[in-house]
Amino acid sequence: MARIHNLGFPRIGAQRELKFALENYWAGDSSLTDLQATGRSLRAAHWQRQAGLDLVPVGDFAWYDQVLTMSATLGVLPERAGHTPGTAIDLDTLFRVARGRAQNSCCGTNAASEMTKWFDTNYHYLVPEFTENQAFHLSYHQLIEETREAIAQGHNAKPVLIGPLTYLWLGKCARPDADKLLLLDDLIPVYRQLLQALRDAGAEWVQMDEPILSLDLPLPWQQAFESTYHRLQIRGLQQLVANYFGELGNNLSVALQLPVAGLHLDAVRGGVEIGRIVDRLSPHKILSLGIVDGRNIWVTDLEAALTVLRPVAERLGDQLWLAPSCSLLHVPVDLTLETALPEDVQPWLAFAQQKLEELVTLKAALAEPHSPAVTEKLKINRAALAARRTSARINQVDVQARVQRLSSHNAFRPTKFAERNKLQQAKFRLPLLPTTTIGSFPQTTEIRKARRLHKQGKLSGREYAQLMRAEIQHAIAVQEKLDLDVLVHGEAERNDMVEYFGEQLTGFAFTQWGWVQSYGSRCVKPPIIVGDVARKQPITLEWARYAQSLTRKPVKGMLTGPNTILCWSFVRDDQPRSRTAQQLALAIRDEVQDLEAAGIGIIQIDEPALREGLPLRKKDWTEYLAWATHAFRVCCAEVADTTQIHTHMCYAEFNDIMDSLIALDADVITLETSRSQMALLDAFEQFTYPNQIGPGVYDIHSPNLPTVEWIAELMHRAAEKIPPQQLWINPDCGLKTRTWPETEAALKVMVRAAKKLRNEF
Ligand code: GLN
Ligand code: ZN
């Protein structure tokens, strides 16, 4: 009989208990003992929720991040966080690595470790930092202790750890060209020590996560797998190597030849490989199929899953395991908490808890296909899927027809940039190095309070709009006083750049408790794109019009782009992402057209997630970039030559997607460049980026005030790479997290620098 297990459960808690416990502890409002008690009770509750499984994961709980836990376990923490190599690590040290230490504390400052995205998810991990002669020591025992804890609570505990190759791959060396594989020889003995300790704690199985098997790996990395796992064998402990987030592709043979007891596959994204793998699997090996989507929130088509599973179960018998495709870290905890979802939508969804119930059903259906309980479950599932397929909420014929008409059209603006630029120059008469901001101004407590009261029905629509207009008035007055050239309305009315638009489009649904950890104690609540997307009514028009009425300077309309809405939502699984992107693009286009008609001559379409959407394998990039850039162009293809389109992207490496940035053909692109000291512009220079660029001149994440000299220095550097006629001056990103005094002071310096530079260029 097939066994069922889980790769990881969301640690944050159904009501974000861990988030609040952490933040209270960091604020000094609770003790370490309190924090540890919350952790213990969350783990116990989560294991209890998984008690219907044959094996439950341990090690999915992390105080901040599972990669950081691994680093601590192996003794890989930067010395600047106060860690002496070879000594035991406590929780406060862990937090110092994650969060840095502020200037005013007793013991000097230290920078937090760098954070980056975990594969193609929106989860961020802390990048391990390897020194030149990195030594490894078993320095932190959380995983071992929690394994004992789970076993003591009567669970069949399966510790989960990041495998050595993935762990090394994710880290960075002090010397960027260093060969991280050289660290393996020192790393393996510590992994062995850890594995032995886990066995001694009572574990029979461990799960070694090696999701880099979904990536294009250099040959030496592929070759390192087999010998590494040979050297990791421990008598009395079985290892399951887990790959997820993609197909094994050219790593398939590597994975099959590993000298381990079992292999986990992502059967959602790598389903096509199942046949090939079953055919080549060595006898006695376990095959774990991740048949339930761990990355999305839709119910599984159980019949379809069973069609895949039955022949495999026939061949493998009890060597077949079933699981979610990846850790459930990436989905919310429990759908039953939702009380405000549309009644018809609720049965289409499954969160972590429900996904585990699906595994229970699949197991039962394989074992006793004709049992009444199974028949009933399958019937309910079938009905939900049928209702979803035919729902009017999903299918809007006119939207589909509109997309159909679109697909053959390349959506380039008819007039080339050089010509448009002249016309725009004549229209706006902006000075050399025009100044602007990225869109948002401080989201003050008053603004948040007004929105909360409005949502609760305690503040009428009229009163709320009145308050927002007052905010806009203030923002415009400040910008006029500062003498900025292109103004913004300040985005006071927006809670979030995706949710705000989603709320005013058809096809979206919103959860109350659908939180997913982004990093540390930070969570996001992605909207769900349920059906065909269209704009119900103008979204930003009235605010933009009002802002423009207050000033003679141009006010930039401010929209979120289709790729970013797509990336930061749970998306449909019943049509390609590209089609959803096109629907979103058409909705945004409608808004662009309305803004233009209302006299908004400059419109910014933010696409900070364009690069994030890149597939894991290079072979899939071309297709993605083609439809993603097309979707962006669709938004602005029909505006007049004199309408100036801006886009904004946050920090990212652009070298390898430069062609696509050019293909967006935005008149102006603003970027986050101050942290990289304008090094990011090298690629723009190399590709002779033809349109205008606003390289960010100060870091908005920090309260530090920039100086005129600092900004001038950065702009001189920029001007060495890009002709000054093509440059704008702006902050790195939106200012919503700053205070008004910080904002005004920084922008004042920025405008002063711009005026000084105009005389120098
Ligand atoms: N216009 C948005 C803002 O200023 C852009 C935010 C972003 O790029 N993440 O807040
Ligand atoms: Zn940004």
Side-chain angles (χ1 to χ4, degrees), residues 437-441 490-491 494 497 558-560 564 568 604 606-608 648-650 732-736:
T437 60
I438 305 304
S440 58
F441 275 121
E491 302 181 25
R494 301 184 192 176
M497 63 188 288
M558 196 57 60
L559 307 174
T560 303
T564 300
W568 294 349
Q604 177 171 314
D606 289 324
E607 284 287 27
H648 167 71
M649 287 176 201
C650 302
D732 262 350
C733 194
L735 298 160
K736 58 173 164 263

